[in-house]
Amino acid sequence: MSDINQFIAHTQLRTSPFFERTSKLNESQEWRRWAGFLSATSYELTHENEYFAIRTKAGLLDITPLKKYIVEGPESRKLLDQLVTRNIEICKVGQVMYTPWCDEHGKVIDDGTVQRLSENKFRITSAEPNLDWIQSNATRMDVNVIDDSFTTAALALQGPNSREILNSISAKTLDNLKFFWMMETTFKNIPVSISRTGYTGDLGYEIWMDPSDALAVWDLLIDKGKLYGITPIGLHALDIARIEAGLILLDVDYISSRNALIESRKSSPFELGLGWTVKMKKDDFIGKSSLIKEFNQGSEWSFVGIEIDWEEFEKYYREVGLAPGLPSTAWRTSIPLYYKNEQVGYATSGTWSPILKRYIALAHLKSKYARVGFELMFELKIEHFRKLSKATVVKTPFFDPERKRSCPI
């Protein structure tokens, strides 16, 4: 038995339908646990090439570990409209909506997408298991809720060449597929669903298929994508891209209200920069009364982007005779932020952006300090000593190319 198979057997981790390919391509043999699956952190010894594939060519990522649930039946739309903050009543067949869902106090449980597959059939994707919660709220409703996590395999193809690659394989053109919409097509008689969605903030698509077709779809994409620079990517590259896109990550940028040990660890959609997803005019939904109150009173916390000032950051390192210590991967630790020696917030994840050439981070700030242009101090340690370096509140997303939303025709 190989080392990787021994590790899988010992830890009881699942492997995706693409593992036969990804395990052989993973030169680094670096893996991370993702929702009970084994997922590659990087395929090469470093992740730089994978990151630049996302931004300049096309990156291929196995996203099968996403939790997936099918909600089907005459009252499926009614149920989802009660569960999430978005207005599912206006979601059309073939449309995808990003949304959080909250507890009765208006604090976020999880966030994900809702795909409307047909008139009375939806698929929910999420980071954490939500089946029991959905089923408990569906009691006495004419719906059927099933776990689709292991019956649908999925890939994300992200980057400026992703559309051309898919058009070279798909029986139908993707030129008219709009941002956050989906379509049915075939790859050499293999049925697939393609949504124009992703977690990189770039032009990109997610491909949904039967697990029995997984290897055939992977091989087609790799073969047809060679001329376009297709590159398998891992979680390290994805983490940099999603921070550049200003996208939140569960258990890093916020904690599910179901898992938070104390009240101060919980966040509302308004406190996570997701106020635009809260549709107050629709009928009652879980957490609505608390969110109305917060909307009227204002939120204590805001979620923002910050940019660490390069000149001051570099100066501190040069004073001790070192080159600036930039992170080689995106970090996921809480770092204090100050204003006039008072801590007013904390950064939750950050990275050096290779394409923007800026040191950026996502952060929670007390709302009165969260306006764009406000100057703060970012804590860092150099040779065991604490320093405070200038940081500025900036607009997110940090990286927002026009191609993400545009169509060629």
Side-chain angles (χ1 to χ4, degrees), residues 84-87 98-100 269 273-280 285:
V84 306
T85 62
R86 292 293 297 273
N87 186 0
Y98 168 77
T99 182
L274 301 178
W276 63 272
T277 69
V278 181
K279 306 304 179 184
M280 296 298 194
F285 60 91

Side-chain angles (χ1 to χ4, degrees), residues 235 281 344 354:
L235 299 180
K281 293 183 179 180
V344 296

Side-chain angles (χ1 to χ4, degrees), residues 341-381:
N341 295 319
E342 176 190 355
Q343 186 175 351
V344 296
Y346 53 96
T348 50
S349 55
T351 185
W352 170 256
S353 169
I355 200 164
L356 300 175
K357 301 296 187 286
R358 294 157 58 193
Y359 191 5
I360 58 176
L362 300 172
H364 293 267
L365 285 178
K366 292 181 180 178
S367 292
K368 70 176 182 177
Y369 303 100
R371 68 179 182 271
V372 172
F374 202 92
E375 290 191 355
L376 305 162
M377 303 303 288
F378 174 84
E379 183 175 289
L380 63 147
K381 285 185 180 180

Side-chain angles (χ1 to χ4, degrees), residues 17-236:
F18 302 101
F19 187 72
E20 188 176 331
R21 298 291 185 269
T22 59
S23 60
K24 294 174 182 176
L25 291 169
N26 191 341
E27 296 176 11
S28 72
Q29 285 303 302
E30 288 188 15
W31 303 87
R32 182 181 294 169
R33 184 189 297 267
W34 176 11
F37 282 81
L38 202 63
S39 297
T41 54
S42 63
Y43 286 91
E44 301 182 15
L45 297 182
T46 61
H47 60 277
E48 284 84 357
N49 186 50
E50 296 169 34
Y51 163 80
F52 280 108
I54 296 172
R55 293 293 182 234
T56 65
K57 297 177 287 187
L60 185 63
L61 176 73
D62 180 3
I63 58 169
T64 301
L66 279 173
K67 295 296 180 183
K68 302 174 283 289
Y69 306 106
I70 297 294
V71 179
E72 187 172 15
E75 292 187 292
S76 56
R77 186 171 60 178
K78 179 182 177 182
L79 169 63
L80 289 172
D81 212 43
Q82 292 176 3
L83 295 183
V84 306
T85 62
R86 292 293 297 273
N87 186 0
I88 303 301
E89 287 291 329
I90 65 171
C91 185
K92 297 179 173 63
V93 175
Q95 190 173 3
V96 185
M97 284 186 170
Y98 168 77
T99 182
W101 44 95
C102 302
D103 62 20
E104 62 274 18
H105 303 295
K107 300 301 183 180
V108 176
I109 293 173
D110 204 342
D111 66 302
T113 61
V114 176
Q115 306 169 356
R116 190 164 191 184
L117 305 178
S118 63
E119 183 67 23
N120 292 314
K121 184 178 182 180
F122 297 81
R123 179 189 286 123
I124 307 175
T125 68
S126 66
E128 277 205 336
N130 283 273
L131 182 62
D132 290 345
W133 182 77
I134 298 170
Q135 289 178 329
S136 66
N137 281 286
T139 304
R140 293 186 295 277
M141 296 186 73
D142 191 4
V143 294
N144 186 32
V145 182
I146 62 171
D147 192 343
D148 188 39
S149 300
F150 310 118
T151 51
T152 294
L155 291 170
L157 184 63
Q158 306 283 302
N161 291 345
S162 56
R163 183 190 289 119
E164 292 182 78
I165 293 171
L166 291 173
N167 274 340
S168 72
I169 305 170
S170 173
K172 299 178 183 177
T173 180
L174 281 79
D175 288 351
N176 296 314
L177 185 60
K178 295 179 181 179
F179 193 47
F180 271 81
W181 285 78
M182 61 192 305
M183 59 181 279
E184 304 292 322
T185 187
T186 58
F187 293 169
K188 288 192 175 180
N189 297 320
I190 300 171
V192 296
S193 298
I194 300 177
S195 57
R196 190 170 170 182
T197 50
Y199 197 50
T200 64
D202 215 311
L203 172 64
Y205 303 86
E206 293 174 328
I207 308 157
W208 313 85
M209 71 208 77
D210 189 283
S212 63
D213 296 320
L215 295 181
V217 170
W218 176 280
D219 292 341
L220 273 172
L221 288 167
I222 292 294
D223 180 55
K224 295 293 185 180
K226 284 179 182 177
L227 293 175
Y228 300 94
I230 194 169
T231 303
I233 64 168
L235 299 180
H236 281 332

Side-chain angles (χ1 to χ4, degrees), residues 389-401:
S389 184
K390 187 189 300 181
T392 305
V393 178
V394 296
K395 185 180 179 181
T396 58
F398 304 97
F399 181 76
D400 191 23

